[in-house]
Structure formats: structure tokens, C-alpha cells
Amino acid sequence: MIPFYVFAFIAVVASLLVIAQRNPIYSVLLLIASFGALSGLYVLLDAPFVAVIQIIVYAGAIMVLFLFVVMLLNAPHEETEYDEQTHPLLRRGPMRFGASLALALGVELCWALARGGESRAFAPGSVDAVAAIGRSLFTTYAFPFEVTSILILVAMLGAVVLARRGPFDSPLILSAPKDERLAQDRPFDSPLILSASKDERLAQDRPFDSPLILSASKDERLAQDRPIDRDGGAPALPGER
Amino acid sequence: MSPLLLAQVALTLFVFVMLLSSAAVMVYVERKVAALLQQRLGPYLVGPKGLLQPIADVVKLMFKEELRPRAADALLFTLAPIISATAAFAAFAVVPFGAETTFFGLLDERVRLQVADVNVAVLVIFAIASMSVYGIVLAGWSANSKYSLLGGLRSSAQMISYELSYGLALATVLLVGNSLSLTDLVNRQAGTWLGFIPRWFIFVQPLGFFIYMTAGIAETNRAPFDFPEAEQELVAGYHTEYSSMSFAMFFLAEYINMVTVSAVATDLFLGGWHGPLLPESLGWIWFLIKVAALLFFYVWMRWTLPRYRYDQLMAFGWKVLLPLAVINLLVTAAGVLYFGL
């Protein structure tokens, strides 16, 4: 019984901490910890196959992608005063949304528990269980299985659409005012953003600053990037011409 | 404490110590073999034939200052090498390395030479391999340095890409052996065909072995796929900002991962502890020989092949290795289904 409580405690606490974190990276890691604890619970239920699949699919594959997305997309930080002073959990919008979700989950849990009944479990802990899972997945549950995969595809498309900022992003960037441009498109400097103040960040780190070059005056450009200059053999400084 | 439990604890400790020392041995072998291939002498001053060189290396690392960049994320920066090393050790727990034994009659019951006998061992190895990505990603991210981040991203992209082929190669062996337990799979490779060809799965699955070893080299970030630490481009990759023992832990993890990949390859494709001449109880000697041969192959590859370009690595993984693995899986599945291989 003690292992059950240990795993259950880790799972619950880690899940709670997931939504209490400000740094999305920590949220992702805590979710992994929670999945690990769930996997431990599966082992206690004598279902090692499900436990390992939980680790491979959720903790391994899916969360690595989450981590990538969080690291690369660099989720914007809310900077209004209200957001700064109020903990994310205590804000109005998230409160209502979270409350309705929690309510739905609670109702579902009660319904599932009240329903009870015999669980049609596979013979635990044998390789036959793996074969049985596979067989029922591709015969009895073939339709739900395929529908789930389409659901995942839809979610992927949704993520791609959400992540893109408008259909033709790069031309827009060139015409936008300078500050916007700077704020918009800096894929690689996520760790810096977390530490430095905004101005410092802008000054510090623009690995892809070609848009800036395009918008600068011609002389500046020439000074910056002289190989383009085809006027003479030796690269000329702007003042010399 | 019952003698059986005592034996189990002793076995676990033994495996732990052996893995630690295997890393030390590999450091020495790596340098000596490299020297051999490049017609140099290699380490020869510390101890006889330079045998104590790894110890000198470790002592040196221990006395170095533990540095951490001020802008780094302190918690994750500390955690990353621990995750790497833990995952490396954990994977070996399910690898059997010898037949059941009573330790020369010391025990009443027979004990498997293995830390944990899990009946889904192959999947456990795959799961832990997928967890070890986190150590490297977090090391790259938390250091708050360009080189680290690029190294970490490269490494994780590489590991995710090659994990697919790795998993499919494992799956084909499962099909042939019809089991998820490594012990079962090894025992199915006992005996010979026609009296002289050992019943190793490498002869049934040569393509599977090739895919497994290639993906294994990529998974362990070894040359010619050592992009995460491509010195010429990234200074040192994901461990650029690490020093002292936390740096050593990444290297420990790398060498132990090599040992694990070789040990699993031995169990899956090379018949594990089965071999001619020696009695079953001394099968672990065969196991050691096979693992050592694979490890030598690893080192040999590193000092023979130049590093590929990153796009070549990705193109090879997705356009060559993965289709090959899928086709191999389909053909094997059809073979098992219709001809009962």
C-alpha cells in the first residue's frame, strides 16, 4: 500500500505544480514527473506493458515535443500590470475556464465511479496481455483507434495554424515598425528572455537581424555588408565615394 | 536477510560497479585504440602501459572547479547531468548477461544474472533511451548559452529521429523471437543450424542488426554522428558550460550508454551468452567477449569515419534508415505470419 501512496502523492502534487508554475519549462518537466508516477501506479496494478507504453509515448515522445515547442516558440510573457501582480491561477478568465473544466472532470469522475462494475481486464503481467491488447486494438476497437489518430492529426494542424503568425509572415515583418519586428521574431534566444530586461534583450541578441539591414539607409547597409558593393575592386567606405 | 535477497543485492552492486569501471576502461581503450589507428603511442606514463590514466583523469576532474554561468537556470543545470547518468545506469538494469546460476552451489535456488527480470525488458530499454534525451535537452537549455542550446537541440532532434529506426529494429527482433523478455529472446538463440551456424538473430535479421547498430551509434551521439559535441562548430555542444564532475557525468553517461547498446545488441542479435566451447555456466565470458568486440567496433568507427553534415544525418535517418526499418518490419511480419520463421 505504501508504494501506491508514494506514487499517488507524486502524481497529484506534480500535476498541481504543473499549473502553478510560471515558467512553462518547469510545467513540462513536472508533467513528466507526473506521468512517471502514473507509470509506477500501472506497475503496481500489474500492467507493466501499459506502464512502459506510458513512459515511451507520453513521457518520452509527446513531452519531448512539448519541450521543443516551449523552448522554440518562446511563449510570450504577459506584461500588463494586472498579470504581473496576480498569480496566473487567480486571474478572472483562467479562473472561470479552469473552474468549468474542474467541474466537468469532477462530474465525469463521479459518473465513472458510480458506474463501477466489473472491469474487463486482461490477464495481468504476461506477454499474452500484449497480444490481447494488440488484437482488440485492431479488431474490436479499430474504429475508435483510427478516429483517435484523426483527432491527433487535427490537433497537429491546429497547432501549426496557431503557431504561424498570419499567412505571409516574412514580408509583414519587413514593413512593420522597428520595435514590433524586434519583439516578433527571435527564435533562438529563449533562455536570455527569461533573465534579461526587455531593453537589454533587444540590444543584446538578434541572431537573425537581416530584416534590420534591409530597412536601414543605403549607406548604412553598404557599411555593414560590403561584399555586395560592386562599384570598384576594393570595398569603398561610404564616405569615400 | 535471505541468501537469495543478498545475492540479488550483491548482483545489483556488482553491475553498478562494473558499469562504472567499464566507463573507465572505455576511456583508456578509446585513447589507446585511437593512438593505434593514428600510429601514436597514446597514454603510457601513468602506471604500466598507461593503465592508470583513467584514474588520473577522474582525479583531475574532481579537483577542478565546479562552474555555473550566472545566467543559467540553477536547478535544471544541476539536474541535467544527473538525469543523463541515471538514465544510462537504469537502462542496464533489465539486460541479462548470463544464464541462470547458483553461484557454484552457494545458493539453493537458481538466480538470473540480471538486476531486474522484467517481462517487457525490450520496451523498458526503449523507454529509458527516450528519457535520456531530457538530460541533454535540459543541459543545453539551462546553461543559457548559444553553443549549449544548439548542441542540445541538435542532439534531441537526432535522438528523436533515430529512436524511430531503433524502435523498429527492436520490434523486428521481437517478431522473430515472439517475446518481449530479453532472457526469452536470448534462449531462443541457443543451438545451431546445420551443426555449425549458431542460431543467432543476426543471421535472420542482418538488416535489423545494421539498422540497430546505426541507430544505436546515433542515439549515443558517437562519431560519425557526434553532432551534439561537434567541436569545430559548437565548441563542445550541450556540455559547453559544464566543468568538473558534472561534465564527467555526461561522459560517464555516454560510455555507459555505449556499453548498454552493445550489451542489448549482444542479447538481441549475437546470441547473448550462448557460444561454443564454454559450458552454460560460464556463458558470461562469451557475453563479455561479444560486448567487447562491439565496443571496439564503436571506437574503430569513431576514428575511421569523418563526421557527416547535419542535413546528411537527418536525410539519412528519415529517408534511408526509417524506410528500410519499416520495410524490414513488414517483410519480417509477413515472413512470421505466412512461413512461421
Side-chain angles (χ1 to χ4, degrees):
Chain A
M1 218 50 200
I2 295 169
F4 168 79
Y5 283 112
V6 171
F7 284 129
F9 179 78
I10 296 174
V12 171
V13 170
S15 308
L16 282 177
L17 287 175
V18 168
I19 48 173
Q21 286 301 317
R22 280 187 162 254
N23 188 340
I25 297 265
Y26 280 93
S27 293
V28 170
L29 294 176
L30 283 161
L31 198 54
I32 296 168
S34 171
F35 283 148
L38 277 188
S39 161
L41 288 177
Y42 290 136
V43 171
L44 294 182
L45 290 171
D46 219 354
F49 180 69
V50 184
V52 176
I53 292 298
Q54 167 87 10
I55 296 280
I56 293 177
V57 175
Y58 285 97
I62 293 182
M63 294 320 287
V64 167
L65 288 184
F66 266 56
L67 203 61
F68 255 78
V69 170
V70 172
M71 276 163 64
L72 290 183
L73 280 191
N74 187 17
H77 285 231
E78 304 94 323
E79 281 171 357
T80 65
E81 221 168 275
Y82 176 70
D83 286 340
E84 284 295 310
Q85 286 167 0
T86 326
H87 192 271
L89 281 181
L90 302 177
R91 281 175 217 155
R92 265 175 258 119
M95 278 280 270
R96 284 182 199 138
F97 184 61
S100 46
L101 275 189
L103 192 71
L105 192 65
V107 170
E108 268 176 40
L109 270 179
C110 291
W111 180 69
L113 286 176
R115 202 158 144 256
E118 283 290 299
S119 68
R120 288 171 295 159
F122 300 106
S126 65
V127 181
D128 297 335
V130 180
I133 290 172
R135 202 164 286 126
S136 58
L137 205 58
F138 286 103
T139 54
T140 323
Y141 300 104
F143 182 68
F145 180 67
E146 295 298 334
V147 169
T148 314
S149 58
I150 291 178
L151 196 69
I152 294 171
L153 183 68
V154 170
M156 263 166 62
L157 284 178
V160 171
V161 170
L162 284 177
R164 277 180 72 159
R165 306 177 188 100
F168 298 105
D169 213 350
S170 29
L172 270 178
I173 287 188
L174 291 180
S175 63
K178 197 179 167 190
D179 284 346
E180 261 179 51
R181 261 184 283 132
L182 291 178
Q184 225 170 11
D185 200 17
R186 276 164 295 117
F188 281 116
D189 54 359
S190 32
L192 272 175
I193 284 202
L194 293 178
S195 54
S197 84
K198 196 182 171 191
D199 286 349
E200 263 175 41
R201 266 184 279 136
L202 291 180
Q204 216 172 18
D205 195 29
R206 280 168 289 117
F208 297 111
D209 57 357
S210 33
L212 262 184
I213 292 187
L214 290 179
S215 66
S217 80
K218 196 184 169 192
D219 284 353
E220 269 174 69
R221 259 186 284 138
L222 289 177
Q224 258 171 347
D225 196 13
R226 262 172 288 140
I228 294 173
D229 195 353
R230 297 182 205 137
D231 287 353
L237 289 170
E240 289 171 355
R241 284 188 293 123
Chain B
M1 213 190 250
S2 73
L4 199 64
L5 193 64
L6 205 65
Q8 204 52 256
V9 171
L11 202 61
T12 310
L13 264 176
F14 173 74
V15 169
F16 183 74
V17 173
M18 280 305 277
L19 278 177
L20 270 180
S21 43
S22 76
V25 172
M26 278 312 292
V27 169
Y28 177 75
V29 168
E30 176 114 52
R31 297 178 67 169
K32 268 296 186 198
V33 172
L36 205 70
L37 292 175
Q38 297 171 341
Q39 305 189 344
R40 296 186 281 114
L41 281 175
Y44 66 94
L45 279 177
V46 191
K49 300 233 172 232
L51 267 169
L52 297 178
Q53 185 65 41
I55 296 169
D57 287 350
V58 171
V59 169
K60 183 198 78 171
L61 277 167
M62 274 181 183
F63 282 104
K64 283 203 166 186
E65 188 184 358
E66 189 90 53
L67 293 171
R68 176 160 57 77
R70 200 190 309 154
D73 187 315
L75 177 63
L76 296 184
F77 191 80
T78 320
L79 205 60
I82 300 177
I83 295 178
S84 272
T86 312
F89 277 112
F92 203 90
V94 294
V95 177
F97 52 91
E100 289 183 335
T101 176
T102 55
F103 290 110
F104 311 107
L106 277 176
L107 293 170
D108 298 334
E109 287 175 71
R110 294 164 79 79
V111 177
R112 280 207 181 125
L113 286 180
Q114 178 179 15
V115 173
D117 185 19
V118 187
N119 57 14
V120 287
V122 179
L123 293 176
V124 170
I125 287 169
F126 189 56
I128 295 174
S130 69
M131 295 315 290
S132 61
V133 180
Y134 288 113
I136 291 174
V137 178
L138 291 177
W141 183 82
S142 65
N144 204 348
S145 142
K146 296 282 170 296
Y147 297 120
S148 298
L149 185 64
L150 282 173
L153 285 178
R154 273 186 177 194
S155 156
S156 40
Q158 172 180 336
M159 284 169 109
I160 293 169
S161 309
Y162 279 78
E163 222 162 63
L164 296 171
S165 314
Y166 188 80
L168 287 175
L170 289 179
T172 40
V173 183
L174 303 186
L175 280 176
V176 176
N178 195 25
S179 172
L180 282 170
S181 154
L182 276 172
T183 314
D184 286 357
L185 286 170
V186 172
N187 283 333
R188 251 156 246 208
Q189 299 176 63
T192 51
W193 287 297
L194 307 174
F196 64 96
I197 307 172
R199 285 179 165 277
W200 297 350
F201 285 153
I202 185 175
F203 298 115
V204 189
Q205 281 290 330
L207 190 59
F209 181 68
F210 167 75
I211 294 167
Y212 177 86
M213 281 313 282
T214 314
I217 291 174
E219 281 278 292
T220 45
N221 296 325
R222 290 279 301 183
F225 301 132
D226 58 345
F227 295 93
E229 42 196 279
E231 302 90 348
Q232 294 86 344
E233 306 155 36
L234 290 175
V235 183
Y238 60 89
H239 51 63
T240 304
E241 305 292 344
Y242 282 92
S243 60
S244 188
M245 282 317 276
S246 42
F247 171 78
M249 264 154 101
F250 281 118
F251 262 73
L252 185 71
E254 181 178 317
Y255 281 115
I256 291 173
N257 280 331
M258 272 166 66
V259 173
T260 309
V261 167
S262 305
V264 174
T266 305
D267 274 349
L268 287 180
F269 294 98
L270 300 180
W273 53 85
H274 295 299
L277 301 176
L278 290 170
E280 177 106 341
S281 57
L282 290 176
W284 52 269
I285 296 179
W286 269 118
F287 185 85
L288 279 183
I289 292 173
K290 288 169 186 173
V291 171
L294 283 176
L295 285 173
F296 177 77
F297 171 75
Y298 250 103
V299 177
W300 187 7
M301 289 288 280
R302 170 167 178 188
W303 298 102
T304 307
L305 295 176
R307 186 182 301 130
Y308 288 94
R309 266 197 341 255
Y310 193 63
D311 59 315
Q312 288 174 332
L313 165 92
M314 281 297 160
F316 181 71
W318 288 101
K319 294 179 188 164
V320 180
L321 210 58
L322 187 61
L324 266 183
V326 172
I327 291 169
N328 190 30
L329 181 69
L330 287 178
V331 170
T332 311
V336 170
L337 196 60
Y338 295 113
F339 305 108
L341 275 175

